[in-house]
Amino acid sequence: MPTGVDAYWLRLGTTMLMYGVLAMSWNFIGGMAGYPSFASAAFFGLGAYAGAVAQKYGLPMVVAWSLAGAVAALFAAALGFALLRLRGHYFAIASLVVAEVLREIVNSATNLTGGGMGLNIPVPQMASIADQARFFYYAMLGVAVLAFGAVLVTQRSRLGFGLRCIQQNESAADMLGVNTTLYKVNAFILSGVFVGVAGAVYASWVHYIEPPDVFDVLYSIKPIVMVLLGGAGTLFGPLIGAALFLSLEELVWRNYLSVHTGVLGLLIVLLVLFLPKGILAFRLRRT
Amino acid sequence: MTTLLQLSGVSRHFGGLKAVSSLDLSVDRGEVIGLIGPNGAGKTTLINLITGVHPATAGTVRFAGEDVTRQQPWQAARRGIARTFQIVQPFPEMTVLENVTAAALFAGGLAYGERAEAAALEHLQFVGLADVAGKRASTLTLAMRKRLELAKGLAMNPKLLLLDEVNAGLHSTEIDHALALIRAIAARGVTILIIEHLMKVVLNLCSRIVVLHHGELIASGDPQSIVRDPRVVQAYLGRRYADASH
Ligand SMILES: Nc1ncnc2c1ncn2[C@@H]1O[C@H](COP(=O)(O)OP(=O)(O)OP(=O)(O)O)[C@@H](O)[C@H]1O
Ligand SMILES: [Mg+2]
């Protein structure tokens, strides 16, 4: 039997890994390419619903999760070709709208998604509640490891180098032979695929989803705060930021739920003003 | 000699403004051409039009026999058209070496890795920036940034190099250095089109000069005939220059 403490830490650990996936993913487009995306919630909700609907039609859980990743990736590709022609805050605003649009679509596609009633996801057959909690912890760990691997490979590749060029001076990058549209779309796909899988895993984990829950704008904002907190464009910054953020959330904000979004907004402003390169910058500056 | 670049009736309008209008120009392989003209004549626009930054609104651009009128800048780079910017455009937070490596990698066709870096270092040695290779590009002086632009242009392994006022803002010893560099690049067989306000540089370097005025090509010929051409004197060089050169 699980003790209460074990269950608490498993839940926190799973959440931590999920935040890590969100932050690492945002880092591809926001940190490496320098495009402030607010589309994370769209990918998360899309992945959650894709996974849930696929399971509703009888697909095995892990297959449904993979399908959710593919759906998120395809959606990111299509969206990227449309939106990434916009620069800076125009892109940011356009990406912010996407989750709202998807939420409305899911709301009205009642036959498929249950609409505002939400959707139940079949509970996996397992010996105990504790086994289930452990299973989803390892599932989320798997997604996080995949995302981290993708970050690692990207940073040491032509793609990562090209994204850094775009982030610093897009027209100069273009002039030097970087196919900027293609590179940005690739970064956007990478920023969507793991979030989509994480959304599907989340849906299976909590057994029940509804549009306002998985398309919550906070899923777009939190990863940005985490990455800014830890250090944009870096390897470990997003993970450190995710850990810091979750600690803050657990220690402080659980008790002040009503000011949640306001505090987040304030934190973003403070970060951008005083710590534009994140916590990691302190260490880098000294060396 | 074979034609490398062929512009036929190209125009570029910005709204009602004809920045370049129905211009014909053909550049042979190995030529070093000077492009001169007063401020706002359309010189930079001509480079933007060749490189796909602002594609021609009419006419065609052919490069190495291929119609490239509608190409994107990154395609121009990979085809072998390199340009330096009138206002230098480094990647500020990257090192000088990384800046040149990017050029070798994306336009020069080298694979990601140490080979590209080694090639970049060679180009930095060539322009005399090897000792600041590890510094951030934003810390360089203007003269160094101009040389960095040259190194980037070279690392792109170009067939055609378009230089937009690489000497603007430099003093005379720095200009002499840049001149020697450009001459060495030309000696490698790179075709060069250079926009330049300093007649000393143009006369020193170019086998042919073309003159742009209000977006139109008003003269083209060898340096001697250009400085005596009355239209050029009137539009650009001014009487004083014509008197002095006699
Ligand atoms: N992107 C643009 N949008 C609108 N007008 C432009 C644009 N680029 C250039 N122009 C206009 O086109 C004309 C030619 O400009 P261009 O920069 O080609 O001149 P230039 O010969 O390079 O001048 P300079 O010697 O000052 O560099 C100018 O009147 C300029 O204002
Ligand atoms: Mg100009």
Side-chain angles (χ1 to χ4, degrees):
Chain A
M1 283 302 286
T3 65
V5 175
D6 270 353
Y8 172 78
W9 285 109
L10 267 180
R11 186 186 63 73
L12 204 64
T14 311
T15 308
M16 164 66 218
L17 290 166
M18 190 174 93
Y19 279 6
V21 171
L22 288 172
M24 285 188 285
S25 296
W26 187 82
N27 195 34
F28 283 110
I29 188 73
M32 295 187 205
Y35 271 70
S37 162
F38 283 87
S40 308
F43 298 136
F44 189 82
L46 187 65
Y49 268 97
V53 170
Q55 286 186 68
K56 181 175 139 187
Y57 284 99
L59 278 186
M61 189 164 56
V62 177
V63 177
W65 294 349
S66 315
L67 186 76
V71 168
L74 279 177
F75 182 69
L79 194 65
F81 275 112
L83 291 191
L84 286 163
R85 293 167 203 287
L86 305 170
R87 293 204 181 175
H89 47 275
Y90 293 106
F91 169 78
I93 291 166
S95 70
L96 187 59
V97 177
V98 178
E100 302 303 315
V101 173
L102 283 185
R103 194 221 313 250
E104 284 313 309
I105 292 174
V106 167
N107 247 328
S108 48
T110 322
N111 287 339
L112 201 60
T113 64
M117 300 286 289
L119 199 55
N120 283 304
I121 295 101
V123 182
Q125 307 284 308
M126 259 171 234
S128 67
I129 305 263
D131 282 349
Q132 266 183 34
R134 220 166 282 129
F135 172 78
F136 284 110
Y137 172 81
Y138 284 114
M140 208 59 99
L141 180 64
V143 185
V145 168
L146 284 180
F148 186 75
V151 175
L152 207 61
V153 170
T154 303
Q155 285 205 329
R156 289 161 196 201
S157 73
R158 215 180 161 81
L159 174 63
F161 194 36
L163 291 176
R164 274 176 67 209
C165 293
I166 291 172
Q167 187 258 326
Q168 308 224 339
N169 187 334
E170 187 163 347
S171 28
D174 197 6
M175 238 33 251
L176 281 193
V178 180
N179 185 348
T180 50
T181 310
L182 186 69
Y183 273 55
K184 288 184 292 182
V185 169
N186 276 324
F188 204 47
I189 293 173
L190 284 167
S191 86
V193 59
F194 302 108
V195 174
V197 179
V201 174
Y202 170 84
S204 298
W205 181 34
V206 298
H207 311 322
Y208 170 79
I209 56 172
E210 52 183 0
D213 169 25
V214 291
F215 287 108
D216 189 343
V217 69
L218 285 177
Y219 284 122
S220 292
I221 295 170
K222 283 179 185 178
I224 303 178
V225 179
M226 295 173 208
V227 173
L228 293 181
L229 207 57
T234 61
L235 183 57
F236 292 106
L239 284 174
I240 294 168
L244 277 174
F245 183 87
L246 185 64
S247 314
L248 281 177
E249 201 170 51
E250 278 300 299
L251 295 176
V252 188
W253 295 333
R254 239 175 357 146
N255 308 316
Y256 303 97
L257 267 183
S258 53
V259 288
H260 207 129
T261 19
V263 173
L264 267 180
L266 195 69
L267 192 60
I268 293 184
V269 172
L270 290 177
L271 279 171
V272 171
L273 285 182
F274 297 111
L275 209 60
K277 287 181 181 172
I279 297 278
L280 278 183
F282 286 121
R283 194 175 53 82
L284 294 177
R285 219 175 286 151
R286 261 193 282 122
T287 52
Chain B
M1 279 226 254
T2 54
T3 306
L4 181 63
L5 176 74
Q6 175 100 48
L7 309 180
S8 320
V10 291
S11 303
R12 173 71 212 196
H13 298 184
F14 293 110
L17 178 84
K18 293 180 179 172
V20 170
S21 49
S22 353
L23 183 140
D24 295 303
L25 176 67
S26 141
V27 178
D28 286 335
R29 284 177 204 271
E31 265 195 295
V32 179
I33 296 194
L35 176 59
I36 63 173
N39 289 115
K43 306 182 295 295
T44 300
T45 304
L46 190 63
I47 284 191
N48 285 337
L49 183 157
I50 295 169
T51 51
V53 174
H54 295 138
T57 37
T60 55
V61 180
R62 297 184 74 81
F63 180 73
E66 202 182 344
D67 186 338
V68 298
T69 315
R70 300 257 83 83
Q71 72 186 337
Q72 307 255 321
W74 62 271
Q75 293 172 315
R78 293 187 190 180
R79 284 197 173 105
I81 306 177
R83 66 96 59 95
T84 65
F85 287 92
Q86 183 167 1
I87 297 157
V88 289
Q89 303 255 3
F91 302 118
E93 299 298 314
M94 288 191 189
T95 66
V96 170
L97 183 63
E98 283 175 321
N99 266 272
V100 183
T101 304
L105 207 62
F106 295 110
L110 292 183
Y112 185 77
E114 281 164 19
R115 292 258 324 270
E117 246 177 45
L121 199 55
E122 264 175 48
H123 295 301
L124 283 176
Q125 261 147 12
F126 178 74
V127 302
L129 288 179
D131 48 335
V132 292
K135 285 199 170 179
R136 273 190 318 166
S138 58
T139 64
L140 297 190
T141 64
L142 178 69
M144 286 170 145
R145 284 182 205 201
K146 296 262 180 184
R147 275 189 271 156
L148 174 58
E149 285 283 301
L150 274 181
K152 277 160 86 175
L154 276 179
M156 291 169 75
N157 192 20
K159 297 189 180 81
L160 174 65
L161 184 58
L162 307 165
L163 302 174
D164 198 348
E165 304 200 14
V166 276
N167 295 306
L170 305 190
H171 22 88
S172 65
T173 46
E174 292 168 344
I175 290 172
D176 289 342
H177 187 183
L179 257 173
L181 280 178
I182 296 166
R183 208 173 274 122
I185 294 168
R188 295 178 173 190
V190 179
T191 308
I192 296 177
L193 180 78
I194 176 168
I195 296 179
E196 189 51 74
H197 279 296
L198 298 166
M199 285 312 285
K200 166 189 151 188
V201 173
V202 186
L203 294 175
N204 240 301
L205 217 52
C206 302
S207 47
R208 180 154 70 104
I209 296 176
V210 295
V211 187
L212 216 55
H213 185 46
H214 291 318
E216 289 175 30
L217 202 93
I218 58 166
S220 164
D222 64 83
Q224 261 50 49
S225 62
I226 287 293
V227 295
R228 296 207 177 82
D229 189 315
R231 283 167 305 171
V232 179
V233 170
Q234 202 196 354
Y236 181 55
L237 297 175
R239 279 239 51 90
R240 194 141 23 108
Y241 188 89
D243 292 341
S245 69
H246 278 270

